[in-house]
Amino acid sequence: MLSALFKSIGQCSDPTFRKVLGRSLLISIGIFIAVWIASWFGLSWVGDLLSEWVAANSTSWLGTTAEWLFGAVAVSAILVGSFLVFPAIVGLALGFMLEDIARAVERRHYPNLPVPRDQPVMEAAKDAIKLAIVTVLVNLVMLPFYFIPFVNLFVFFIVNGYLLGREYFELVAVRRLAHEDVGLLRKTYRNRVFWAGVLIAFLFTIPLVNLITPIVATAFMLHVFELLRHNRKVAGK
């Protein structure tokens, strides 16, 4: 499994990988600029209302202080929120272009494979959005546990190892197998898929590396999928 990960990391210099990452970063930055502008106008409007209310019910210096504090908190919230959410937005943008990554990996490492199933754009988009939404929602539900020392690491890797392993495996496997066969293969090798997901979750915890993790994760899981598919054929399952 580690050899599959190293092969995936080693292919990051591939022109296709760089092109996909560049496009996703541009899309993500564009999304954030739009969000920043909308947030700024929205918070300015709320801040003006708050200032008027405070000024009408207190002294002028208190109103000025409240306005300054609100502005500082609002800007800080936007910056911190952007820092925390940016990798997820990049991952979502990448989700619509992961087919290019899968094909690049197959060209280099599995040139004898037949052409994969032509996955409809809406199906690929649905899979990418589902991956992002499920990951965010489950982590929000588990958020209280993340504040408990030692328990937080255990919970994070268990939950995200399962989620990311399952989602990325299905993302690459559905290109070659029917959905029911994908589920059967995943359940047969559930432990390997889970530990592959744990490795992906670990990569997501590393700053800057988490920006390219969706690319590496797709390539890595494709190697894992082909290995497990080969093992099933050898075992005659």
Side-chain angles (χ1 to χ4, degrees):
M1 191 172 292
L2 287 177
S3 63
L5 180 60
F6 293 145
K7 281 195 291 188
S8 303
I9 295 173
Q11 197 174 345
C12 284
S13 59
D14 188 293
T16 300
F17 280 44
R18 296 200 305 269
K19 183 168 66 175
V20 168
L21 178 60
R23 287 201 309 241
S24 68
L25 287 175
L26 287 176
I27 292 172
S28 302
I29 291 171
I31 292 173
F32 268 98
I33 289 175
V35 170
W36 287 336
I37 293 174
S39 299
W40 182 260
F41 280 109
L43 290 171
S44 296
W45 178 71
V46 173
D48 290 340
L49 291 179
L50 179 63
S51 299
E52 291 176 5
W53 181 85
V54 172
N57 295 274
S58 62
T59 60
S60 59
W61 70 267
L62 187 59
T64 302
T65 303
E67 183 178 2
W68 181 86
L69 286 175
F70 177 81
V73 171
V75 171
S76 299
I78 292 175
L79 293 177
V80 173
S82 299
F83 175 77
L84 294 175
V85 177
F86 188 72
I89 297 298
V90 174
L92 182 60
L94 278 170
F96 295 97
M97 296 176 273
L98 292 183
E99 177 64 21
D100 294 339
I101 299 299
R103 289 181 181 272
V105 173
E106 289 175 341
R107 280 196 302 269
R108 174 176 292 190
H109 298 282
Y110 309 99
N112 296 323
L113 285 177
V115 177
R117 180 175 70 90
D118 188 15
Q119 191 177 22
V121 175
M122 290 305 298
E123 182 180 317
K126 179 182 175 182
D127 290 340
I129 293 172
K130 185 179 79 169
L131 173 61
I133 291 177
V134 170
T135 302
V136 170
L137 287 180
V138 171
N139 278 283
L140 284 176
V141 171
M142 303 305 295
L143 189 61
F145 294 99
Y146 292 159
F147 293 99
I148 305 175
F150 301 111
V151 174
N152 50 10
L153 289 176
F154 181 78
V155 171
F156 175 82
F157 284 112
I158 290 293
V159 170
N160 287 282
Y162 172 77
L163 284 175
L164 294 172
R166 175 172 180 162
E167 296 300 331
Y168 273 98
F169 183 82
E170 292 182 353
L171 198 67
V172 299
V174 77
R175 301 170 61 253
R176 300 270 174 197
L177 300 176
H179 282 278
E180 56 270 19
D181 292 330
V182 171
L184 181 60
L185 183 63
R186 180 180 57 79
K187 291 175 182 177
T188 301
Y189 297 101
R190 59 173 62 88
N191 289 335
R192 295 194 186 186
V193 173
F194 167 74
W195 286 111
V198 170
L199 286 174
I200 294 172
F202 173 73
L203 293 178
F204 269 113
T205 65
I206 305 175
L208 298 182
V209 173
N210 55 14
L211 296 179
I212 65 170
T213 295
I215 290 177
V216 174
T218 301
F220 169 53
M221 196 58 83
L222 193 148
H223 288 301
V224 172
F225 165 70
E226 291 298 337
L227 175 62
L228 298 183
R229 190 161 67 135
H230 174 74
N231 288 347
R232 186 178 66 172
K233 287 181 181 178
V234 171
K237 296 181 181 179

